[in-house]
Amino acid sequence: MDISAEFYYKDFDSTQKSILRLKQNLYSLKQASYNWSELLKAGLIGIGYKQSCIDLYLYIKDNIICVAYVDDTQFFTSDDSLIDKEISKLKASGFDLTVRGE
């Protein structure tokens, strides 16, 4: 599943003599990935997942395991209907999701 990140590209005129304050993340900034992982963490914890102490990109809820890598997540469970419910919860919490495969 691919989660659309809120990263943007913007070309700036290098001859400008003003200072610009960023109101959103730029993909090339060092902290953009950190900000994205914090947003994803808050979203997953908000729907009941617990973050692993060993791997910070591993989240567990009941018998569902969620693994995140950058803006891709994978859900593992023995019951496929649980995955559909979790995707619905993430969509309801404001994430733009694209399911790519099973």
Side-chain angles (χ1 to χ4, degrees):
M1 172 177 23
D2 189 38
I3 301 177
S4 297
E6 296 294 325
F7 299 140
Y8 297 96
Y9 289 104
K10 178 72 175 166
D11 293 327
F12 295 107
D13 183 7
S14 61
T15 61
Q16 279 186 321
K17 302 266 184 198
S18 60
I19 297 173
L20 302 174
R21 181 173 180 255
L22 296 175
K23 292 187 177 183
Q24 59 192 8
N25 288 325
L26 294 176
Y27 185 74
S28 61
L29 293 179
K30 289 182 182 180
Q31 68 268 24
S33 295
Y34 172 79
N35 290 343
W36 168 247
S37 67
E38 287 297 308
L39 178 68
L40 181 61
K41 174 183 164 182
L44 289 172
I45 289 174
I47 61 171
Y49 283 85
K50 295 192 187 295
Q51 189 175 30
S52 169
C53 299
I54 309 282
D55 185 351
L56 298 179
Y57 299 101
L58 175 68
Y59 299 89
I60 301 167
K61 176 182 175 183
D62 300 327
N63 61 347
I64 303 172
I65 297 172
C66 175
V67 179
Y69 180 75
V70 187
D71 65 340
D72 293 325
T73 58
Q74 295 179 346
F75 289 92
F76 300 96
T77 185
S78 59
D79 185 3
D80 290 339
S81 66
L82 291 177
I83 293 176
D84 295 332
K85 289 178 186 176
E86 295 305 307
I87 291 171
S88 298
K89 288 178 186 177
L90 282 170
K91 284 183 178 181
S93 65
F95 287 94
D96 183 19
L97 306 175
T98 305
V99 178
R100 297 182 182 214
E102 296 182 21

